[in-house]
Amino acid sequence: MKVVCIGEMLIDMVCTDTNQGLVNGVNYLKKSGGAPANVAAAIGKLGGTAHLVAAVGNDPFGTFLVNEIAQYNVNTNYVSVLPMSTTLAFVSLADDGQREFAFNRGADEQLSLDAEALSFLSSDSILHIGSATALLGGPLNDTYLAITKAAHKNGNTICFDPNFRIGLWEGKEAEFIEACTPYFKMADIVKVSDEELELFTKTNDMEAGCQYFHDLGVKIVLVTLGGDGCLISQNGKSTRVPAYKIKAVDTTGAGDSFIGAVLYQLSQHPADNTFYANDMASFVAFAGKVSALVCSSLGAMSALPTLAEVEAITFEINQ
């Protein structure tokens, strides 16, 4: 089964001056990025079938991105090349791998699809919606909603990662929550960080927070907890899957590789009448291994492992 990822594909300009921030940093390294692109690349690198729906500019950055994502076995038939600049994200790193973002938006917000494309992309597929920029307005916002509605009507499995970015939504958190709510109502799986859970639900009680999403119709809630692993909430039960020990170098793309690995597993195992209730813990444990490897190297895409690389490593649980 194919996995369709829609949203931004952009250039991450990663500041290599650790702990300097974007104000004082001087040296930058060009990397492929964009949350949906990272997810698609993770799926493709593991051996799954991934389609990316995105827009880049008709410039050297856009050419670089299309060539780069294709090397991860991602279908790029629905990547548009538009007569404008490619979107850029500037990222700074701290010693613990935490990040600061600043965005220079370009082509990503102009993505649009016709009815024929919507029909193809919503047939026999899992839809992943996890764009950091899609809810800001413009044609991408309209396209994002249209493909989600088409997939929901068609009965596709829908996964939503809200991907809150303070650099895009600072002071507009209420607008962000309102914009996300229609997607929560259509999603089968929602992946949030513990900070995002509190943002949406106004509580740091994990079970109460997860229930907020279940009340909207979400079947599975995945709450990523950094070094404490991931909480799975489904059918009134919560399960915590531990993380693995790593030396964090760059956490950019960690969440994307995690959900990409979960979606890869879903695409290889059609849902039964329990909707993965017996399998999700093992899917999440596998995804934790993929994410650990990504955090151990610089670059959201370049650090992605193959299935063989994941299986060849012995991981130690983070106690």
Side-chain angles (χ1 to χ4, degrees), residues 8 43 69 86 102 152 171 175 227-228 274 278:
E8 77 273 0
I43 296 164
I69 196 73
T86 298
H152 183 62
E175 293 177 37
D228 291 327
T274 71
N278 300 319

Side-chain angles (χ1 to χ4, degrees), residues 45-297:
K45 189 71 178 285
L46 288 167
T49 302
H51 290 247
L52 179 64
V53 184
V56 297
N58 186 19
D59 58 18
F61 289 142
T63 301
F64 167 77
L65 287 171
V66 173
N67 292 342
E68 182 83 355
I69 196 73
Q71 294 180 27
Y72 292 86
N73 302 311
V74 174
N75 185 297
T76 60
N77 290 347
Y78 292 93
V79 175
S80 302
V81 180
L82 305 179
M84 58 190 66
S85 299
T86 298
T87 298
L88 306 178
F90 294 85
V91 188
S92 69
L93 305 173
D95 280 332
D96 61 359
Q98 293 306 303
R99 305 155 293 165
E100 176 188 4
F101 285 93
F103 289 85
N104 187 352
R105 293 200 74 192
D108 81 281
E109 65 181 322
Q110 297 301 319
L111 175 69
S112 62
L113 293 172
D114 58 25
E116 182 179 349
L118 287 173
S119 176
F120 168 76
L121 292 167
S122 62
S123 68
D124 188 33
S125 63
I126 297 169
L127 177 66
H128 174 67
I129 45 176
S131 174
T133 64
L135 304 180
L136 290 169
L140 173 58
N141 191 6
D142 298 336
T143 302
Y144 206 61
L145 186 58
I147 195 171
T148 306
K149 286 182 175 179
H152 183 62
K153 182 178 180 181
N154 197 47
N156 298 63
T157 295
I158 299 174
C159 176
F160 180 42
D161 179 353
N163 254 313
F164 177 74
R165 292 285 180 265
I166 191 69
L168 295 173
W169 293 97
E170 188 170 15
K172 300 183 293 183
E173 289 83 356
E175 293 177 37
F176 180 73
I177 293 169
E178 182 179 359
C180 288
T181 300
Y183 297 96
F184 290 135
K185 291 180 178 179
M186 290 185 279
D188 300 288
I189 302 169
V190 163
K191 176 251 170 191
V192 290
S193 67
D194 48 353
E195 293 92 348
E196 288 169 337
L197 184 80
E198 188 168 352
L199 171 70
F200 285 109
T201 67
K202 312 305 180 192
T203 178
N204 57 11
D205 182 302
M206 293 288 173
E207 291 190 6
C210 289
Q211 191 58 47
Y212 168 89
F213 296 112
H214 291 312
D215 288 344
L216 292 174
V218 178
K219 295 179 178 130
I220 299 174
V221 181
L222 304 176
V223 186
T224 54
L225 306 169
D228 291 327
C230 177
L231 181 76
I232 305 169
S233 179
Q234 183 177 12
N235 297 333
K237 297 181 181 179
S238 296
T239 304
R240 191 181 296 251
V241 178
Y244 298 96
K245 288 186 177 180
I246 59 167
K247 180 176 174 55
V249 174
D250 179 9
T251 61
T252 305
D256 302 328
S257 64
F258 174 86
I259 198 62
V262 170
L263 292 169
Y264 164 74
Q265 294 281 13
L266 264 61
S267 71
Q268 305 300 303
H269 303 85
D272 58 17
N273 57 8
T274 71
F275 198 73
Y276 304 108
N278 300 319
D279 301 309
M280 191 53 62
S282 65
F283 292 173
V284 166
F286 171 80
K289 295 176 181 179
V290 173
S291 180
L293 291 175
V294 168
C295 289
S296 301
S297 301

